[in-house]
Amino acid sequence: MLESLPSRSSGRTFALGVIIFLFLLVISLAYLIISEPITLLTFLWVLAIIATIPTIFVVNYWRATLSNARYLVENLILEIKWGRLSHSIPLNEIKALWLVGEGVKRLRFRGINWPGLTAGFGEFQDGQRTFQAKIYSTRSTAEGLFIETGSEVFLISPTDPVDFKTCIEALNIMPETEKTQGSIGFPLLPQSALWRDKLSQILLAAPIILNLLLFGILTALMNRLDGQVPLHFDSTGVVVHTGTPANLLILPVIGLVAWSLALGGGLFFYIWRDERPMAQIIWAMTIVIELAAWAAVIILLV
């Protein structure tokens, strides 16, 4: 078996630094939300936290991917292993191998790119020829080894590209191997029918949009409301309980908690139990809860 591990330390170190920075950012924003008066700026800080948390998960996903990145040849098949992704290339399907030289120019790139990690799809120009390549590399696109099959081109970054190229060329004179097809994409998330289920996506997105709109409106109104606002009425419509305007934020918080619980419960039925209608009913209930919160705010403030 021939195996080569790409240089991975710089990419993982950079990712860890980004994750630490984002964690500190979330903590700082949370402190501002708690310590500063509630204004429309508070809403913007909440949006920043909401955007930061999934970014942390994505960066950590690719950091873990780097930990498992390797190229190996076994049974006359070149395996490009990139985290959960594995692409198999029979050696007899390789038409050409060449090192990235100064004459190769990258025209376009789509994917993940930071110091120590380049993964995605690129368009290159080599002399008069323009071609596209799938990139599995821990170096810049100005370095590495191109592998061309009959239909695709790959760019990889073994520890010693020259030696790896020589070894593959030597092995390629062996008898033909059985054709094998591997994964061809760069999945950021687990494969699921949910990514194609428009109704479920709407049921998941609608309540969180309603929740954020309600939260944004309430924070914008904080400075315009009186010192005390009605919080509860009796059966005859008489105010029996008042409080500060900040108490109104309990309503979107309740809605957010309900959405989070419904998200987990719905995914359990959708993915593990394969009961899509039940999941959609659970998610639809969160829309009802958000609409109830909107109605309550309107009644309390009008």
Side-chain angles (χ1 to χ4, degrees):
M1 182 179 71
L2 170 66
E3 182 178 47
S4 179
L5 301 179
S7 175
R8 302 176 293 187
S9 59
S10 60
R12 289 185 294 182
T13 301
F14 180 84
L16 182 60
V18 171
I19 291 171
I20 292 173
F21 169 78
L22 292 176
F23 266 120
L24 293 175
L25 178 62
V26 169
I27 293 172
S28 300
L29 291 173
Y31 174 77
L32 289 173
I33 292 171
I34 295 172
S35 61
E36 296 294 324
I38 297 175
T39 64
L40 185 58
L41 191 59
T42 307
F43 175 65
L44 298 179
W45 290 335
V46 171
L47 288 181
I49 290 178
I50 292 174
T52 300
I53 291 176
T55 303
I56 292 174
F57 282 104
V58 170
V59 173
N60 189 60
Y61 170 88
W62 284 99
R63 184 194 63 80
T65 293
L66 274 175
S67 300
N68 298 317
R70 66 194 65 229
Y71 319 108
L72 58 92
V73 178
E74 188 173 17
N75 298 324
L76 300 181
I77 295 177
L78 170 61
E79 294 277 353
I80 301 175
K81 295 187 177 293
W82 210 257
R84 295 169 55 241
L85 175 66
S86 178
H87 199 109
S88 302
I89 308 173
L91 296 189
N92 55 50
E93 289 189 2
I94 297 177
K95 305 301 181 183
L97 294 164
W98 74 96
L99 300 172
V100 180
E102 294 183 358
V104 178
K105 180 181 179 181
R106 191 184 79 182
L107 302 178
R108 296 181 184 83
F109 174 79
R110 177 170 58 89
I112 303 294
N113 187 18
W114 68 58
L117 173 64
T118 305
F121 304 87
E123 184 176 344
F124 297 86
Q125 186 176 50
D126 186 4
Q128 300 299 318
R129 177 192 178 196
T130 299
F131 61 93
Q132 295 185 351
K134 295 174 181 175
I135 304 169
Y136 302 80
S137 176
T138 59
R139 301 176 182 173
S140 72
T141 53
E143 304 175 81
L145 175 67
F146 279 115
I147 301 173
E148 182 177 2
T149 68
S151 58
E152 299 176 301
V153 179
F154 302 87
L155 175 58
I156 64 174
S157 60
T159 303
D160 187 339
V162 175
D163 181 65
F164 196 71
K165 173 178 179 291
T166 301
C167 291
I168 291 178
E169 288 174 337
L171 290 170
N172 206 13
I173 63 175
M174 302 294 289
E176 289 193 1
T177 54
E178 186 177 330
K179 291 187 177 181
T180 306
Q181 179 62 48
S183 301
I184 58 175
F186 294 89
L188 283 174
L189 297 169
Q191 298 297 311
S192 173
L194 183 60
W195 313 133
R196 300 182 299 275
D197 187 345
K198 298 300 182 182
L199 176 59
S200 294
Q201 292 172 13
I202 292 172
L203 292 175
L204 282 170
I208 197 66
I209 292 173
L210 288 171
N211 185 276
L212 291 176
L213 285 175
L214 181 60
F215 186 81
I217 291 173
L218 288 175
T219 54
L221 292 175
M222 281 296 142
N223 293 332
R224 303 179 186 180
L225 296 174
D226 297 331
Q228 296 289 311
V229 296
L231 297 177
H232 188 258
F233 300 89
D234 64 14
S235 58
T236 62
V238 177
V239 177
V240 295
H241 182 56
T242 61
T244 63
N247 288 319
L248 294 174
L249 295 177
I250 294 175
L251 291 171
V253 169
I254 291 174
L256 182 60
V257 171
W259 180 84
S260 301
L261 294 175
L263 174 65
L267 289 177
F268 170 77
F269 283 101
Y270 197 102
I271 297 175
W272 285 278
R273 296 287 296 274
D274 196 23
E275 297 180 14
R276 184 179 304 185
M278 178 59 72
Q280 292 173 341
I281 290 173
I282 293 174
W283 294 331
M285 289 301 298
T286 59
I287 299 179
V288 176
I289 293 173
E290 292 298 338
L291 292 176
W294 273 85
V297 169
I298 293 172
I299 292 172
L300 291 172
L301 295 182
V302 173

